[in-house]
Amino acid sequence: CIETGVSAFEGAKPFIENDAEHPHINYRNTPVKSLFELRRLILSFKDFLPRVTVPTLIIQADKDPIVASSSAEELFGMLGSNNKTIKMIHAEHHGILKDNTENTWGVIDTFMDESWELQIKKLLKRLLSSFERHGTLFDITQKGRADSK
Protein backbone atom coordinates (compact mmCIF):
# COMPACT_ATOMS: atom_id res chain seq x y z
CA CYS A 1 0.00 0.00 0.00
CA ILE A 2 1.65 3.27 -1.12
CA GLU A 3 -0.26 5.41 1.39
CA THR A 4 1.22 3.63 4.41
CA GLY A 5 4.63 2.98 2.91
CA VAL A 6 4.45 -0.69 3.85
CA SER A 7 4.43 -3.53 1.36
CA ALA A 8 1.61 -6.04 1.72
CA PHE A 9 4.24 -8.80 1.65
CA GLU A 10 6.50 -7.35 4.32
CA GLY A 11 4.80 -9.06 7.25
CA ALA A 12 4.54 -12.47 5.57
CA LYS A 13 7.97 -12.45 3.96
CA PRO A 14 10.29 -9.67 5.15
CA PHE A 15 13.21 -10.85 2.98
CA ILE A 16 13.64 -12.55 -0.36
CA GLU A 17 16.70 -14.60 -1.23
CA ASN A 18 19.19 -12.90 -3.54
CA ASP A 19 21.19 -15.01 -5.98
CA ALA A 20 24.07 -12.54 -5.90
CA GLU A 21 26.28 -11.86 -8.90
CA HIS A 22 29.13 -10.93 -6.53
CA PRO A 23 28.36 -12.85 -3.31
CA HIS A 24 31.42 -11.50 -1.51
CA ILE A 25 29.99 -7.95 -1.65
CA ASN A 26 26.23 -8.37 -2.29
CA TYR A 27 23.51 -9.11 0.26
CA ARG A 28 22.35 -12.72 0.47
CA ASN A 29 18.82 -11.52 1.24
CA THR A 30 16.94 -8.43 0.05
CA PRO A 31 14.40 -6.74 2.33
CA VAL A 32 10.99 -6.67 0.63
CA LYS A 33 10.42 -3.17 2.01
CA SER A 34 13.54 -1.90 0.20
CA LEU A 35 12.14 -3.15 -3.11
CA PHE A 36 8.87 -1.37 -2.36
CA GLU A 37 10.72 1.85 -1.54
CA LEU A 38 12.79 1.52 -4.72
CA ARG A 39 9.58 1.24 -6.73
CA ARG A 40 8.23 4.41 -5.09
CA LEU A 41 11.47 6.22 -5.92
CA ILE A 42 11.30 5.12 -9.55
CA LEU A 43 7.72 6.38 -9.84
CA SER A 44 8.80 9.79 -8.48
CA PHE A 45 11.39 10.10 -11.29
CA LYS A 46 8.63 10.74 -13.81
CA ASP A 47 8.11 14.22 -12.33
CA PHE A 48 11.80 14.92 -11.77
CA LEU A 49 13.54 13.77 -14.98
CA PRO A 50 12.07 16.44 -17.31
CA ARG A 51 13.65 19.08 -15.05
CA VAL A 52 17.16 17.60 -15.43
CA THR A 53 19.06 19.95 -17.75
CA VAL A 54 22.67 19.06 -16.95
CA PRO A 55 24.72 16.75 -19.18
CA THR A 56 23.57 13.20 -18.46
CA LEU A 57 24.98 9.79 -19.31
CA ILE A 58 22.89 6.62 -19.00
CA ILE A 59 24.78 3.32 -19.13
CA GLN A 60 22.93 0.01 -19.26
CA ALA A 61 23.82 -3.59 -19.98
CA ASP A 62 21.73 -4.77 -22.92
CA LYS A 63 21.02 -8.16 -21.31
CA ASP A 64 21.04 -7.14 -17.64
CA PRO A 65 19.18 -9.84 -15.66
CA ILE A 66 18.21 -7.33 -12.93
CA VAL A 67 17.20 -4.14 -14.79
CA ALA A 68 15.32 -4.23 -18.09
CA SER A 69 17.34 -2.57 -20.84
CA SER A 70 14.18 -0.80 -22.02
CA SER A 71 14.27 1.27 -18.82
CA ALA A 72 17.38 3.09 -20.06
CA GLU A 73 15.53 4.22 -23.20
CA GLU A 74 12.54 5.24 -21.09
CA LEU A 75 14.70 7.35 -18.76
CA PHE A 76 16.57 8.84 -21.71
CA GLY A 77 13.32 9.96 -23.31
CA MET A 78 12.13 11.61 -20.10
CA LEU A 79 15.28 13.67 -19.49
CA GLY A 80 14.99 17.42 -20.09
CA SER A 81 18.68 17.78 -20.95
CA ASN A 82 19.74 18.64 -24.49
CA ASN A 83 23.12 17.06 -23.74
CA LYS A 84 22.27 13.45 -22.99
CA THR A 85 23.87 10.20 -24.07
CA ILE A 86 22.83 6.59 -23.74
CA LYS A 87 25.41 3.81 -23.97
CA MET A 88 24.30 0.21 -24.14
CA ILE A 89 26.99 -2.19 -22.95
CA HIS A 90 26.92 -5.70 -24.41
CA ALA A 91 26.71 -7.77 -21.23
CA GLU A 92 24.57 -10.45 -19.63
CA HIS A 93 25.29 -9.32 -16.09
CA HIS A 94 24.38 -6.39 -13.82
CA GLY A 95 27.77 -5.37 -12.40
CA ILE A 96 29.15 -3.62 -15.48
CA LEU A 97 30.85 -0.89 -13.43
CA LYS A 98 32.51 -3.25 -10.99
CA ASP A 99 33.77 -5.45 -13.81
CA ASN A 100 34.54 -2.48 -16.11
CA THR A 101 32.74 -4.36 -18.88
CA GLU A 102 33.55 -2.93 -22.33
CA ASN A 103 35.63 -0.20 -20.67
CA THR A 104 32.60 1.28 -18.89
CA TRP A 105 34.83 3.57 -16.82
CA GLY A 106 36.44 4.87 -20.03
CA VAL A 107 32.95 5.67 -21.39
CA ILE A 108 32.27 7.70 -18.24
CA ASP A 109 35.64 9.50 -18.44
CA THR A 110 35.09 10.42 -22.09
CA PHE A 111 31.57 11.70 -21.41
CA MET A 112 32.77 13.81 -18.49
CA ASP A 113 35.68 15.26 -20.48
CA GLU A 114 33.42 16.15 -23.40
CA SER A 115 30.73 17.60 -21.12
CA TRP A 116 33.21 19.79 -19.24
CA GLU A 117 34.75 20.95 -22.50
CA LEU A 118 31.31 21.91 -23.81
CA GLN A 119 30.41 23.75 -20.60
CA ILE A 120 33.71 25.68 -20.64
CA LYS A 121 33.16 26.66 -24.28
CA LYS A 122 29.66 27.94 -23.44
CA LEU A 123 31.00 29.95 -20.51
CA LEU A 124 33.80 31.46 -22.58
CA LYS A 125 31.33 32.34 -25.32
CA ARG A 126 29.11 34.14 -22.78
CA LEU A 127 32.10 36.03 -21.36
CA LEU A 128 33.29 37.07 -24.81
CA SER A 129 29.79 38.17 -25.81
CA SER A 130 29.50 40.26 -22.64
CA PHE A 131 32.89 41.84 -23.27
CA GLU A 132 31.98 42.66 -26.89
CA ARG A 133 28.66 44.24 -25.88
CA HIS A 134 29.85 46.21 -22.88
CA GLY A 135 33.58 46.67 -23.30
CA THR A 136 34.13 44.99 -19.93
CA LEU A 137 33.71 41.58 -18.40
CA PHE A 138 30.55 41.23 -16.39
CA ASP A 139 30.37 38.86 -13.51
CA ILE A 140 27.99 36.33 -15.04
CA THR A 141 27.24 34.87 -11.60
CA GLN A 142 25.72 38.23 -10.61
CA LYS A 143 23.26 38.22 -13.52
CA GLY A 144 24.98 40.83 -15.63
CA ARG A 145 26.05 43.36 -13.00
CA ALA A 146 29.43 44.88 -13.83
CA ASP A 147 32.41 43.91 -11.71
CA SER A 148 33.50 47.19 -10.09
CA LYS A 149 37.06 46.08 -9.45
Side-chain angles (χ1 to χ4, degrees):
C1 172
I2 286 183
E3 293 81 26
T4 64
V6 177
S7 165
F9 297 107
E10 186 177 8
K13 188 173 185 179
F15 294 93
I16 57 172
E17 193 171 319
N18 181 25
D19 186 18
E21 186 174 301
H22 299 285
H24 59 288
I25 59 171
N26 293 137
Y27 293 117
R28 288 190 316 226
N29 297 297
T30 302
V32 170
K33 183 169 179 150
S34 69
L35 297 175
F36 179 74
E37 293 298 326
L38 178 61
R39 181 72 184 142
R40 288 181 60 199
L41 176 66
I42 290 168
L43 290 173
S44 74
F45 280 3
K46 292 180 180 183
D47 295 329
F48 174 73
L49 290 173
R51 299 186 308 192
V52 174
T53 58
V54 296
T56 307
L57 171 64
I58 297 174
I59 301 176
Q60 172 71 41
D62 61 352
K63 292 184 173 70
D64 187 326
I66 307 296
V67 179
S69 60
S70 61
S71 66
E73 293 285 347
E74 186 178 348
L75 290 175
F76 185 82
M78 295 169 71
L79 285 167
S81 177
N82 291 327
N83 181 1
K84 55 187 176 181
T85 301
I86 187 166
K87 173 67 175 168
M88 297 304 284
I89 302 294
H90 300 295
E92 295 181 1
H93 60 281
H94 184 67
I96 57 176
L97 288 172
K98 181 188 178 309
D99 298 338
N100 195 27
T101 306
E102 287 193 13
N103 191 30
T104 307
W105 287 105
V107 171
I108 295 168
D109 287 343
T110 299
F111 178 82
M112 290 179 67
D113 288 345
E114 290 171 356
S115 295
W116 276 110
E117 184 177 318
L118 181 63
Q119 295 302 316
I120 290 169
K121 284 180 180 178
K122 285 181 181 179
L123 176 60
L124 290 173
K125 187 175 181 179
R126 287 176 59 197
L127 285 171
L128 182 58
S129 175
S130 177
F131 183 74
E132 288 172 348
R133 281 184 280 130
H134 305 288
T136 185
L137 291 179
F138 280 61
D139 181 353
I140 62 171
T141 63
Q142 296 298 316
K143 297 186 180 182
R145 287 185 231 142
D147 186 9
S148 60
K149 295 181 183 176

